[in-house]
Amino acid sequence: MGTQENVELVRRGYEAFSAGDMATLGEIFAEDAVWHVAGDGVLSGKKEGRDAILAYFGELGARSGGNLKVTVEEIIGGETNTVAVQHNQAESGGRSLDQDGVIAFRVADGRISEGREFFQDTAKGDAFWA
């Protein structure tokens, strides 16, 4: 796949995430994909395998009361690495999340094989998801 195809794959993933479409997300992630969540919070750490990544995404929805809104600002593509700049907003349990972030994706054989989250203030994110 080329740069434009990788951008479209990542865009399709964001659209599926926003729609809660786990079937499509399951199609675009490699079975042995890895996801890295920065920080020291309850959701931080390495998620190994497509099922673990999808479970993590489900946990984001559950912990935000289903109101996590991720707005993609830009997707910058490459042959292997594609980066998405995004803004996250959510409110739950009297707490709010409102910050920018970046996810670096690695794409191999037409599927996402790795994702690394980087956010504006990891400690604030950890506090929100607690």
Side-chain angles (χ1 to χ4, degrees):
M1 289 180 65
T3 299
Q4 189 58 38
E5 291 87 358
N6 291 346
V7 167
E8 290 308 314
L9 179 71
V10 169
R11 186 176 315 284
R12 186 172 158 222
Y14 273 97
E15 290 168 358
F17 179 86
S18 292
D21 182 355
M22 293 299 185
T24 297
L25 286 170
E27 292 172 9
I28 68 168
F29 277 91
E31 187 175 341
D32 61 348
V34 178
W35 194 267
H36 304 272
V37 181
D40 295 315
V42 297
L43 298 179
S44 299
K46 187 177 186 182
K47 317 304 180 209
E48 296 187 58
R50 177 176 45 219
D51 292 343
I53 295 167
L54 296 180
Y56 165 66
F57 292 163
E59 189 69 17
L60 294 175
R63 287 179 178 262
S64 68
N67 71 24
L68 173 61
K69 181 180 178 189
V70 177
T71 304
V72 177
E73 295 179 357
E74 187 171 9
I75 300 175
I76 303 140
E79 291 295 318
T80 304
N81 297 291
T82 297
V83 176
V85 180
Q86 66 187 54
H87 185 79
N88 304 309
Q89 290 180 296
E91 291 189 21
S92 180
R95 297 182 303 244
S96 63
L97 178 70
D98 188 7
Q99 65 176 332
D100 294 323
V102 172
I103 299 180
F105 296 91
R106 184 171 296 269
V107 179
D109 299 324
R111 294 183 189 256
I112 295 171
S113 62
E114 186 173 11
R116 290 185 181 270
E117 296 183 4
F118 301 94
F119 289 99
Q120 185 177 5
D121 188 330
T122 304
K124 283 185 182 179
D126 288 347
F128 177 79
W129 297 113

